[in-house]
Amino acid sequence: MWGGRFAAGPASIMREINASIPFDKRLWKQDIAGSKAHVAMLAKQGIVSQQDADAISAGLDTIAAEYEAHGVPVDLDLEDIHMVTESRLAELIGPAAGRLHTARSRNDQVATDFRLWVRDAIDEVEAGLLGLQRALVARAEDNADAVMPGFTHLQSAQPVTLGHHLMAYYEMVRRDRSRFADARARADECPLGAAALAGTGFPTDRHMTAAALGFAKPTDNSLDSVSDRDFALDYLMAATQASLHLSRLAEEFIIWASQPFGFVKLPDAYSTGSSIMPQKRNPDAAELVRGHAGRIMGCMTALCVTMKGLPLAYSKDMQDDKPPVFEAHDLLGLSIAAMTGMIETVTFRTDRMRGLAESGFATATDLADWLVREGGIPFREAHHITGRAVAAAEAAAVPLDQLPLETLKDIDARIDDRIYAVLTVDASVASRQSHGGTAPAQVRARIADAKKELGS
């Protein structure tokens, strides 16, 4: 490829460091699609003959079939997927293969291929996240009124329902999907035809190639076209946020599966045993999802650091743009699949959840709210009165709703027997009727809206 300019070939170490075919072979479908769109445009514009264009297109189809059947051959001398394909095309159809690269460069070629790949990757993630949302909604509907402790600082705070808790993750995934949709929209411009950096003097039709490849439009600046990797960074940033949400859900499953909590029993399919302790049921799938989040975040950081100091237009550093995106995509796909499977098959021990909700003075705020509402007491005073009631219940080792009325009246004479109507966990959750609250009626209303959003 360099024979006209360089008298000697590259050193062996240069050959290895320069080659990207070991990883960019994943772009072969996108590369062939881009080349077919490009040569069709060249023929329409009269830049190459229709005969040569037909031979090139048929040769590319043959190569695609070979790659599909046998994989892409790794030849470090040919550097990348673009030259591997062009070399094979020359073997198949002869010198006409050399016309394919008219009016384009590997710079705009790889930018186009990579955008196509990222666009396809986003579609895969979108499908996976949609499946996760459906699993969350289904299990939330089954448990819309199942009482559990709600936590702050991992301390029992107020009663909520399991359905409400699961729907919190639905909302996180909804935002994740919106971020990927935004990333896809921004990536929907075609760099093909920008050539090396300055455009081309041939009478090309960039709108034709953009349309053929399913892009909304061609990019508007040739320098930006070949030097931009925002689309890859957008993907990685959306993937990082999604992986953080998956990691939080995984962490809760890990905690809930521990014996002190006992809120869930993870299925055998997503657990492992111990090589020495036969009683163990380890939440390894959830732990790996939690670990993958760190690796995905690392991929995002790696590409940010690569891109932060590059002048326009293309630099060889940008060859390292693909490995972190490929790695993050693979890890994210595994994480989504694992968490969806766990959500669908986990056994929720709602009896255990209710028992702990009832034992942690979680209705203390309901007592304070009742004093404000029924007694006209300022909230700060009601807070102090409630604190004394909690201390009394703790000393007697009973829940708040089992404190004798005499004890409560000794704390504050304004308390009467109506208080017991608000001190049960069921009464507590049922009272949270504000929009987005944990009341089962509110949870079911949000689930109904979510089903409409999901088209189910």
Side-chain angles (χ1 to χ4, degrees):
M1 181 168 49
W2 316 116
R5 171 66 178 84
F6 291 85
S12 60
I13 191 65
M14 180 60 187
R15 177 172 169 270
E16 288 195 36
I17 197 173
N18 195 48
S20 58
I21 185 63
F23 54 84
D24 70 17
K25 62 185 179 180
R26 287 180 68 154
L27 300 176
W28 71 263
K29 290 182 180 179
Q30 292 77 20
D31 193 64
I32 285 178
S35 290
K36 291 186 70 173
H38 182 66
V39 76
M41 180 276 295
L42 293 177
K44 179 177 177 293
Q45 296 298 106
I47 299 169
V48 303
S49 70
Q50 189 62 54
Q51 181 180 359
D52 283 344
D54 290 343
I56 290 169
S57 185
L60 290 169
D61 287 339
T62 299
I63 294 169
E66 292 174 352
Y67 290 169
E68 190 71 59
H70 309 296
V72 179
V74 174
D75 186 339
L76 299 186
D77 288 329
L78 294 173
E79 293 188 12
D80 55 33
I81 184 60
H82 321 299
M83 296 311 300
V84 166
T85 299
E86 186 174 322
S87 175
R88 178 58 180 149
L89 185 63
E91 292 174 354
L92 291 173
I93 69 170
R99 301 191 185 280
L100 173 60
H101 210 55
T102 307
R104 76 174 183 183
S105 162
R106 284 193 299 176
N107 293 354
D108 62 329
Q109 188 178 359
V110 69
T112 303
D113 292 355
F114 199 18
R115 278 189 190 237
L116 287 169
W117 190 94
V118 167
R119 197 174 66 179
D120 292 342
I122 289 173
D123 292 344
E124 290 178 15
V125 172
E126 161 69 15
L129 291 176
L130 178 62
L132 176 58
Q133 281 186 301
R134 287 178 172 155
L136 286 165
V137 167
R139 298 310 302 271
E141 188 169 30
D142 292 341
N143 295 279
D145 56 1
V147 175
M148 66 173 287
F151 298 96
T152 62
H153 307 278
L154 208 56
Q155 302 293 308
S156 183
Q158 292 178 315
V160 297
T161 65
L162 176 55
H164 191 55
H165 194 107
L166 293 173
M167 287 301 290
Y169 285 98
Y170 171 88
E171 299 296 340
M172 296 182 204
V173 179
R174 181 176 60 84
R175 294 192 296 273
D176 291 331
R177 288 180 63 197
S178 74
R179 273 183 282 269
F180 279 110
D182 289 345
R184 197 187 194 287
R186 281 190 294 274
D188 202 22
E189 298 181 4
C190 184
L192 191 59
L197 76 162
T200 178
F202 289 96
T204 56
D205 183 349
R206 294 190 61 212
H207 288 85
M208 177 182 172
T209 49
L213 293 171
F215 286 103
K217 62 185 289 288
T219 51
D220 291 326
N221 183 285
S222 59
L223 282 168
D224 181 57
S225 299
V226 298
S227 62
D228 168 51
R229 291 300 182 269
D230 286 0
F231 63 92
L233 287 168
D234 280 350
Y235 176 86
L236 288 173
M237 290 175 183
T240 296
Q241 187 67 74
S243 72
L244 294 181
H245 291 152
L246 293 168
S247 181
R248 294 182 72 179
L249 179 56
E251 171 70 3
E252 296 214 289
F253 273 28
I254 292 163
I255 293 171
W256 291 359
S258 66
Q259 284 79 4
F261 273 77
F263 283 6
V264 300
K265 179 182 178 182
L266 293 178
D268 290 349
Y270 294 95
S271 307
T272 64
S274 165
S275 62
I276 190 173
M277 296 169 283
Q279 84 280 9
K280 294 293 294 296
R281 178 191 291 270
N282 298 325
D284 281 15
E287 290 173 350
L288 287 166
V289 170
R290 185 176 60 182
H292 287 171
R295 291 175 62 187
I296 292 170
M297 188 186 305
C299 291
M300 183 268 291
T301 302
L303 187 53
C304 283
V305 173
T306 295
M307 296 302 299
K308 72 175 181 63
L310 298 185
L312 295 179
Y314 180 84
S315 298
K316 197 67 172 182
D317 315 44
M318 292 168 66
Q319 182 167 286
D320 286 339
D321 57 356
K322 288 170 281 297
V325 177
F326 293 161
E327 180 182 0
H329 181 66
D330 292 345
L331 292 172
L332 183 60
L334 284 172
S335 295
I336 293 170
M339 290 314 305
T340 302
M342 278 185 273
I343 287 290
E344 290 173 337
T345 58
V346 68
T347 300
F348 291 111
R349 296 185 57 194
T350 53
D351 55 339
R352 174 72 174 169
M353 293 179 179
R354 170 177 280 273
L356 288 184
E358 292 174 336
S359 66
F361 313 116
T363 58
T365 304
D366 298 275
L367 172 54
D369 288 347
W370 184 89
L371 289 167
V372 171
R373 187 170 58 249
E374 302 297 333
I377 302 172
F379 182 80
R380 282 297 161 213
E381 183 182 351
H383 188 283
H384 292 306
I385 294 168
T386 301
R388 292 170 60 196
V390 169
E394 190 172 38
V398 296
L400 277 173
D401 64 342
Q402 293 182 23
L403 272 179
L405 182 60
E406 295 77 13
T407 302
L408 290 169
K409 279 186 167 295
D410 286 343
I411 294 170
D412 192 283
R414 289 167 288 192
I415 300 175
D416 60 48
D417 60 2
R418 292 176 297 164
I419 192 63
Y420 293 107
V422 303
L423 289 183
T424 66
V425 292
D426 290 303
S428 177
V429 298
S431 71
R432 297 310 197 264
Q433 290 285 351
S434 57
H435 180 79
T438 194
Q442 285 293 323
V443 174
R444 290 192 175 94
R446 181 65 188 107
I447 288 171
D449 288 342
K451 286 183 171 181
K452 293 177 183 176
E453 292 170 2
L454 300 175
S456 60

PDB file of all heavy atoms in Angstrom, residues 134-164:
ATOM      1  N   ARG A 134     -39.781  -4.568  30.872  1.00  0.00           N
ATOM      2  CA  ARG A 134     -40.972  -5.422  30.914  1.00  0.00           C
ATOM      3  C   ARG A 134     -40.909  -6.399  32.085  1.00  0.00           C
ATOM      4  O   ARG A 134     -41.925  -6.664  32.732  1.00  0.00           O
ATOM      5  CB  ARG A 134     -41.122  -6.160  29.581  1.00  0.00           C
ATOM      6  CG  ARG A 134     -41.586  -5.235  28.457  1.00  0.00           C
ATOM      7  CD  ARG A 134     -41.681  -5.932  27.126  1.00  0.00           C
ATOM      8  NE  ARG A 134     -42.318  -5.055  26.133  1.00  0.00           N
ATOM      9  CZ  ARG A 134     -42.136  -5.140  24.831  1.00  0.00           C
ATOM     10  NH1 ARG A 134     -41.322  -6.058  24.340  1.00  0.00           N
ATOM     11  NH2 ARG A 134     -42.749  -4.302  24.003  1.00  0.00           N
ATOM     12  N   ALA A 135     -39.711  -6.923  32.358  1.00  0.00           N
ATOM     13  CA  ALA A 135     -39.565  -7.827  33.498  1.00  0.00           C
ATOM     14  C   ALA A 135     -39.819  -7.091  34.811  1.00  0.00           C
ATOM     15  O   ALA A 135     -40.486  -7.607  35.717  1.00  0.00           O
ATOM     16  CB  ALA A 135     -38.164  -8.436  33.492  1.00  0.00           C
ATOM     17  N   LEU A 136     -39.305  -5.878  34.923  1.00  0.00           N
ATOM     18  CA  LEU A 136     -39.516  -5.086  36.141  1.00  0.00           C
ATOM     19  C   LEU A 136     -40.993  -4.783  36.348  1.00  0.00           C
ATOM     20  O   LEU A 136     -41.520  -4.906  37.470  1.00  0.00           O
ATOM     21  CB  LEU A 136     -38.718  -3.788  36.057  1.00  0.00           C
ATOM     22  CG  LEU A 136     -37.199  -3.906  36.238  1.00  0.00           C
ATOM     23  CD1 LEU A 136     -36.504  -2.633  35.763  1.00  0.00           C
ATOM     24  CD2 LEU A 136     -36.840  -4.204  37.690  1.00  0.00           C
ATOM     25  N   VAL A 137     -41.677  -4.403  35.279  1.00  0.00           N
ATOM     26  CA  VAL A 137     -43.094  -4.070  35.389  1.00  0.00           C
ATOM     27  C   VAL A 137     -43.906  -5.303  35.789  1.00  0.00           C
ATOM     28  O   VAL A 137     -44.808  -5.225  36.642  1.00  0.00           O
ATOM     29  CB  VAL A 137     -43.615  -3.466  34.066  1.00  0.00           C
ATOM     30  CG1 VAL A 137     -45.144  -3.405  34.056  1.00  0.00           C
ATOM     31  CG2 VAL A 137     -43.042  -2.078  33.860  1.00  0.00           C
ATOM     32  N   ALA A 138     -43.599  -6.440  35.201  1.00  0.00           N
ATOM     33  CA  ALA A 138     -44.344  -7.660  35.514  1.00  0.00           C
ATOM     34  C   ALA A 138     -44.192  -8.039  36.983  1.00  0.00           C
ATOM     35  O   ALA A 138     -45.181  -8.371  37.658  1.00  0.00           O
ATOM     36  CB  ALA A 138     -43.871  -8.804  34.615  1.00  0.00           C
ATOM     37  N   ARG A 139     -42.963  -7.992  37.501  1.00  0.00           N
ATOM     38  CA  ARG A 139     -42.762  -8.355  38.909  1.00  0.00           C
ATOM     39  C   ARG A 139     -43.307  -7.278  39.841  1.00  0.00           C
ATOM     40  O   ARG A 139     -43.782  -7.577  40.951  1.00  0.00           O
ATOM     41  CB  ARG A 139     -41.281  -8.595  39.199  1.00  0.00           C
ATOM     42  CG  ARG A 139     -40.637  -9.737  38.419  1.00  0.00           C
ATOM     43  CD  ARG A 139     -41.409 -11.059  38.475  1.00  0.00           C
ATOM     44  NE  ARG A 139     -41.624 -11.575  39.803  1.00  0.00           N
ATOM     45  CZ  ARG A 139     -40.776 -12.397  40.452  1.00  0.00           C
ATOM     46  NH1 ARG A 139     -39.641 -12.757  39.856  1.00  0.00           N
ATOM     47  NH2 ARG A 139     -41.062 -12.855  41.643  1.00  0.00           N
ATOM     48  N   ALA A 140     -43.256  -6.009  39.414  1.00  0.00           N
ATOM     49  CA  ALA A 140     -43.828  -4.934  40.230  1.00  0.00           C
ATOM     50  C   ALA A 140     -45.339  -5.098  40.346  1.00  0.00           C
ATOM     51  O   ALA A 140     -45.921  -4.880  41.415  1.00  0.00           O
ATOM     52  CB  ALA A 140     -43.476  -3.583  39.634  1.00  0.00           C
ATOM     53  N   GLU A 141     -45.978  -5.479  39.258  1.00  0.00           N
ATOM     54  CA  GLU A 141     -47.430  -5.661  39.288  1.00  0.00           C
ATOM     55  C   GLU A 141     -47.818  -6.788  40.236  1.00  0.00           C
ATOM     56  O   GLU A 141     -48.816  -6.693  40.962  1.00  0.00           O
ATOM     57  CB  GLU A 141     -47.948  -5.938  37.875  1.00  0.00           C
ATOM     58  CG  GLU A 141     -49.459  -5.950  37.780  1.00  0.00           C
ATOM     59  CD  GLU A 141     -49.942  -5.967  36.346  1.00  0.00           C
ATOM     60  OE1 GLU A 141     -49.226  -6.515  35.468  1.00  0.00           O
ATOM     61  OE2 GLU A 141     -51.038  -5.421  36.083  1.00  0.00           O
ATOM     62  N   ASP A 142     -47.019  -7.843  40.250  1.00  0.00           N
ATOM     63  CA  ASP A 142     -47.286  -8.957  41.158  1.00  0.00           C
ATOM     64  C   ASP A 142     -47.127  -8.562  42.621  1.00  0.00           C
ATOM     65  O   ASP A 142     -47.684  -9.220  43.508  1.00  0.00           O
ATOM     66  CB  ASP A 142     -46.327 -10.121  40.862  1.00  0.00           C
ATOM     67  CG  ASP A 142     -46.591 -10.775  39.525  1.00  0.00           C
ATOM     68  OD1 ASP A 142     -47.702 -10.605  38.986  1.00  0.00           O
ATOM     69  OD2 ASP A 142     -45.676 -11.442  39.004  1.00  0.00           O
ATOM     70  N   ASN A 143     -46.346  -7.508  42.878  1.00  0.00           N
ATOM     71  CA  ASN A 143     -46.007  -7.146  44.255  1.00  0.00           C
ATOM     72  C   ASN A 143     -46.340  -5.685  44.563  1.00  0.00           C
ATOM     73  O   ASN A 143     -45.676  -5.039  45.377  1.00  0.00           O
ATOM     74  CB  ASN A 143     -44.514  -7.393  44.498  1.00  0.00           C
ATOM     75  CG  ASN A 143     -44.137  -8.856  44.406  1.00  0.00           C
ATOM     76  OD1 ASN A 143     -44.324  -9.610  45.360  1.00  0.00           O
ATOM     77  ND2 ASN A 143     -43.612  -9.266  43.262  1.00  0.00           N
ATOM     78  N   ALA A 144     -47.409  -5.188  43.938  1.00  0.00           N
ATOM     79  CA  ALA A 144     -47.753  -3.778  44.095  1.00  0.00           C
ATOM     80  C   ALA A 144     -48.113  -3.419  45.526  1.00  0.00           C
ATOM     81  O   ALA A 144     -47.949  -2.262  45.940  1.00  0.00           O
ATOM     82  CB  ALA A 144     -48.905  -3.414  43.164  1.00  0.00           C
ATOM     83  N   ASP A 145     -48.619  -4.380  46.302  1.00  0.00           N
ATOM     84  CA  ASP A 145     -49.004  -4.085  47.685  1.00  0.00           C
ATOM     85  C   ASP A 145     -48.198  -4.899  48.703  1.00  0.00           C
ATOM     86  O   ASP A 145     -48.568  -4.974  49.878  1.00  0.00           O
ATOM     87  CB  ASP A 145     -50.498  -4.325  47.891  1.00  0.00           C
ATOM     88  CG  ASP A 145     -50.928  -5.733  47.507  1.00  0.00           C
ATOM     89  OD1 ASP A 145     -50.062  -6.537  47.100  1.00  0.00           O
ATOM     90  OD2 ASP A 145     -52.133  -6.034  47.610  1.00  0.00           O
ATOM     91  N   ALA A 146     -47.092  -5.497  48.270  1.00  0.00           N
ATOM     92  CA  ALA A 146     -46.227  -6.259  49.189  1.00  0.00           C
ATOM     93  C   ALA A 146     -45.349  -5.282  49.966  1.00  0.00           C
ATOM     94  O   ALA A 146     -44.513  -4.596  49.398  1.00  0.00           O
ATOM     95  CB  ALA A 146     -45.375  -7.248  48.411  1.00  0.00           C
ATOM     96  N   VAL A 147     -45.533  -5.232  51.286  1.00  0.00           N
ATOM     97  CA  VAL A 147     -44.839  -4.249  52.110  1.00  0.00           C
ATOM     98  C   VAL A 147     -43.409  -4.691  52.392  1.00  0.00           C
ATOM     99  O   VAL A 147     -43.143  -5.864  52.666  1.00  0.00           O
ATOM    100  CB  VAL A 147     -45.593  -4.038  53.439  1.00  0.00           C
ATOM    101  CG1 VAL A 147     -44.816  -3.104  54.363  1.00  0.00           C
ATOM    102  CG2 VAL A 147     -46.981  -3.473  53.165  1.00  0.00           C
ATOM    103  N   MET A 148     -42.505  -3.743  52.307  1.00  0.00           N
ATOM    104  CA  MET A 148     -41.103  -3.984  52.643  1.00  0.00           C
ATOM    105  C   MET A 148     -40.544  -2.731  53.308  1.00  0.00           C
ATOM    106  O   MET A 148     -41.141  -1.654  53.212  1.00  0.00           O
ATOM    107  CB  MET A 148     -40.293  -4.315  51.387  1.00  0.00           C
ATOM    108  CG  MET A 148     -40.174  -3.163  50.394  1.00  0.00           C
ATOM    109  SD  MET A 148     -39.045  -3.509  49.020  1.00  0.00           S
ATOM    110  CE  MET A 148     -37.457  -3.408  49.882  1.00  0.00           C
ATOM    111  N   PRO A 149     -39.409  -2.829  53.979  1.00  0.00           N
ATOM    112  CA  PRO A 149     -38.808  -1.613  54.521  1.00  0.00           C
ATOM    113  C   PRO A 149     -38.197  -0.778  53.407  1.00  0.00           C
ATOM    114  O   PRO A 149     -37.535  -1.302  52.518  1.00  0.00           O
ATOM    115  CB  PRO A 149     -37.709  -2.132  55.462  1.00  0.00           C
ATOM    116  CG  PRO A 149     -37.776  -3.615  55.432  1.00  0.00           C
ATOM    117  CD  PRO A 149     -38.645  -4.030  54.301  1.00  0.00           C
ATOM    118  N   GLY A 150     -38.447   0.521  53.450  1.00  0.00           N
ATOM    119  CA  GLY A 150     -37.698   1.435  52.604  1.00  0.00           C
ATOM    120  C   GLY A 150     -36.496   1.920  53.397  1.00  0.00           C
ATOM    121  O   GLY A 150     -36.581   2.092  54.624  1.00  0.00           O
ATOM    122  N   PHE A 151     -35.381   2.111  52.723  1.00  0.00           N
ATOM    123  CA  PHE A 151     -34.136   2.419  53.415  1.00  0.00           C
ATOM    124  C   PHE A 151     -33.589   3.783  53.020  1.00  0.00           C
ATOM    125  O   PHE A 151     -33.718   4.224  51.880  1.00  0.00           O
ATOM    126  CB  PHE A 151     -33.065   1.362  53.093  1.00  0.00           C
ATOM    127  CG  PHE A 151     -33.425  -0.024  53.531  1.00  0.00           C
ATOM    128  CD1 PHE A 151     -33.997  -0.924  52.640  1.00  0.00           C
ATOM    129  CD2 PHE A 151     -33.183  -0.441  54.823  1.00  0.00           C
ATOM    130  CE1 PHE A 151     -34.328  -2.207  53.029  1.00  0.00           C
ATOM    131  CE2 PHE A 151     -33.503  -1.722  55.236  1.00  0.00           C
ATOM    132  CZ  PHE A 151     -34.081  -2.611  54.336  1.00  0.00           C
ATOM    133  N   THR A 152     -32.970   4.447  53.966  1.00  0.00           N
ATOM    134  CA  THR A 152     -31.987   5.493  53.693  1.00  0.00           C
ATOM    135  C   THR A 152     -30.779   5.167  54.559  1.00  0.00           C
ATOM    136  O   THR A 152     -30.934   4.682  55.692  1.00  0.00           O
ATOM    137  CB  THR A 152     -32.513   6.905  54.046  1.00  0.00           C
ATOM    138  OG1 THR A 152     -32.794   6.979  55.449  1.00  0.00           O
ATOM    139  CG2 THR A 152     -33.767   7.237  53.250  1.00  0.00           C
ATOM    140  N   HIS A 153     -29.584   5.372  54.023  1.00  0.00           N
ATOM    141  CA  HIS A 153     -28.339   5.009  54.718  1.00  0.00           C
ATOM    142  C   HIS A 153     -28.306   3.511  55.048  1.00  0.00           C
ATOM    143  O   HIS A 153     -27.620   3.095  55.975  1.00  0.00           O
ATOM    144  CB  HIS A 153     -28.162   5.822  56.009  1.00  0.00           C
ATOM    145  CG  HIS A 153     -28.274   7.299  55.811  1.00  0.00           C
ATOM    146  ND1 HIS A 153     -27.237   8.081  55.373  1.00  0.00           N
ATOM    147  CD2 HIS A 153     -29.336   8.131  55.977  1.00  0.00           C
ATOM    148  CE1 HIS A 153     -27.633   9.344  55.290  1.00  0.00           C
ATOM    149  NE2 HIS A 153     -28.908   9.396  55.637  1.00  0.00           N
ATOM    150  N   LEU A 154     -29.087   2.718  54.311  1.00  0.00           N
ATOM    151  CA  LEU A 154     -29.249   1.284  54.553  1.00  0.00           C
ATOM    152  C   LEU A 154     -29.839   1.014  55.941  1.00  0.00           C
ATOM    153  O   LEU A 154     -29.666  -0.064  56.510  1.00  0.00           O
ATOM    154  CB  LEU A 154     -27.932   0.517  54.361  1.00  0.00           C
ATOM    155  CG  LEU A 154     -28.076  -0.954  53.923  1.00  0.00           C
ATOM    156  CD1 LEU A 154     -28.900  -1.065  52.642  1.00  0.00           C
ATOM    157  CD2 LEU A 154     -26.718  -1.597  53.718  1.00  0.00           C
ATOM    158  N   GLN A 155     -30.540   2.008  56.487  1.00  0.00           N
ATOM    159  CA  GLN A 155     -31.273   1.853  57.733  1.00  0.00           C
ATOM    160  C   GLN A 155     -32.761   1.915  57.417  1.00  0.00           C
ATOM    161  O   GLN A 155     -33.195   2.655  56.524  1.00  0.00           O
ATOM    162  CB  GLN A 155     -30.917   2.992  58.707  1.00  0.00           C
ATOM    163  CG  GLN A 155     -29.439   3.096  59.051  1.00  0.00           C
ATOM    164  CD  GLN A 155     -28.942   1.915  59.858  1.00  0.00           C
ATOM    165  OE1 GLN A 155     -29.530   1.563  60.881  1.00  0.00           O
ATOM    166  NE2 GLN A 155     -27.859   1.297  59.409  1.00  0.00           N
ATOM    167  N   SER A 156     -33.547   1.146  58.174  1.00  0.00           N
ATOM    168  CA  SER A 156     -34.986   1.146  57.950  1.00  0.00           C
ATOM    169  C   SER A 156     -35.528   2.553  58.134  1.00  0.00           C
ATOM    170  O   SER A 156     -35.280   3.205  59.149  1.00  0.00           O
ATOM    171  CB  SER A 156     -35.656   0.185  58.937  1.00  0.00           C
ATOM    172  OG  SER A 156     -37.043   0.111  58.692  1.00  0.00           O
ATOM    173  N   ALA A 157     -36.273   3.036  57.128  1.00  0.00           N
ATOM    174  CA  ALA A 157     -36.737   4.423  57.127  1.00  0.00           C
ATOM    175  C   ALA A 157     -38.260   4.493  57.197  1.00  0.00           C
ATOM    176  O   ALA A 157     -38.823   4.823  58.226  1.00  0.00           O
ATOM    177  CB  ALA A 157     -36.222   5.135  55.881  1.00  0.00           C
ATOM    178  N   GLN A 158     -38.938   4.172  56.094  1.00  0.00           N
ATOM    179  CA  GLN A 158     -40.399   4.145  56.053  1.00  0.00           C
ATOM    180  C   GLN A 158     -40.834   2.938  55.238  1.00  0.00           C
ATOM    181  O   GLN A 158     -40.107   2.492  54.346  1.00  0.00           O
ATOM    182  CB  GLN A 158     -40.936   5.424  55.405  1.00  0.00           C
ATOM    183  CG  GLN A 158     -40.713   6.681  56.208  1.00  0.00           C
ATOM    184  CD  GLN A 158     -41.222   7.918  55.472  1.00  0.00           C
ATOM    185  OE1 GLN A 158     -40.987   8.089  54.281  1.00  0.00           O
ATOM    186  NE2 GLN A 158     -41.919   8.785  56.187  1.00  0.00           N
ATOM    187  N   PRO A 159     -42.011   2.418  55.521  1.00  0.00           N
ATOM    188  CA  PRO A 159     -42.485   1.294  54.710  1.00  0.00           C
ATOM    189  C   PRO A 159     -42.756   1.738  53.278  1.00  0.00           C
ATOM    190  O   PRO A 159     -43.253   2.835  53.033  1.00  0.00           O
ATOM    191  CB  PRO A 159     -43.788   0.871  55.407  1.00  0.00           C
ATOM    192  CG  PRO A 159     -43.787   1.537  56.728  1.00  0.00           C
ATOM    193  CD  PRO A 159     -42.973   2.781  56.580  1.00  0.00           C
ATOM    194  N   VAL A 160     -42.422   0.877  52.348  1.00  0.00           N
ATOM    195  CA  VAL A 160     -42.782   1.059  50.943  1.00  0.00           C
ATOM    196  C   VAL A 160     -43.314  -0.280  50.453  1.00  0.00           C
ATOM    197  O   VAL A 160     -43.405  -1.240  51.214  1.00  0.00           O
ATOM    198  CB  VAL A 160     -41.574   1.516  50.093  1.00  0.00           C
ATOM    199  CG1 VAL A 160     -41.074   2.876  50.541  1.00  0.00           C
ATOM    200  CG2 VAL A 160     -40.443   0.493  50.152  1.00  0.00           C
ATOM    201  N   THR A 161     -43.654  -0.344  49.195  1.00  0.00           N
ATOM    202  CA  THR A 161     -44.028  -1.635  48.631  1.00  0.00           C
ATOM    203  C   THR A 161     -42.924  -2.124  47.694  1.00  0.00           C
ATOM    204  O   THR A 161     -42.192  -1.314  47.111  1.00  0.00           O
ATOM    205  CB  THR A 161     -45.353  -1.562  47.856  1.00  0.00           C
ATOM    206  OG1 THR A 161     -45.185  -0.720  46.714  1.00  0.00           O
ATOM    207  CG2 THR A 161     -46.471  -1.030  48.735  1.00  0.00           C
ATOM    208  N   LEU A 162     -42.832  -3.424  47.572  1.00  0.00           N
ATOM    209  CA  LEU A 162     -41.848  -4.007  46.667  1.00  0.00           C
ATOM    210  C   LEU A 162     -42.112  -3.548  45.232  1.00  0.00           C
ATOM    211  O   LEU A 162     -41.174  -3.278  44.470  1.00  0.00           O
ATOM    212  CB  LEU A 162     -41.888  -5.531  46.765  1.00  0.00           C
ATOM    213  CG  LEU A 162     -40.990  -6.320  45.815  1.00  0.00           C
ATOM    214  CD1 LEU A 162     -39.537  -5.897  45.938  1.00  0.00           C
ATOM    215  CD2 LEU A 162     -41.142  -7.825  46.057  1.00  0.00           C
ATOM    216  N   GLY A 163     -43.383  -3.443  44.872  1.00  0.00           N
ATOM    217  CA  GLY A 163     -43.696  -2.954  43.529  1.00  0.00           C
ATOM    218  C   GLY A 163     -43.152  -1.561  43.295  1.00  0.00           C
ATOM    219  O   GLY A 163     -42.615  -1.265  42.227  1.00  0.00           O
ATOM    220  N   HIS A 164     -43.287  -0.695  44.287  1.00  0.00           N
ATOM    221  CA  HIS A 164     -42.768   0.670  44.178  1.00  0.00           C
ATOM    222  C   HIS A 164     -41.251   0.647  44.031  1.00  0.00           C
ATOM    223  O   HIS A 164     -40.684   1.401  43.230  1.00  0.00           O
ATOM    224  CB  HIS A 164     -43.177   1.453  45.433  1.00  0.00           C
ATOM    225  CG  HIS A 164     -42.949   2.921  45.359  1.00  0.00           C
ATOM    226  ND1 HIS A 164     -43.463   3.712  44.361  1.00  0.00           N
ATOM    227  CD2 HIS A 164     -42.251   3.758  46.171  1.00  0.00           C
ATOM    228  CE1 HIS A 164     -43.110   4.972  44.557  1.00  0.00           C
ATOM    229  NE2 HIS A 164     -42.362   5.026  45.647  1.00  0.00           N
TER     230      HIS A 164
END
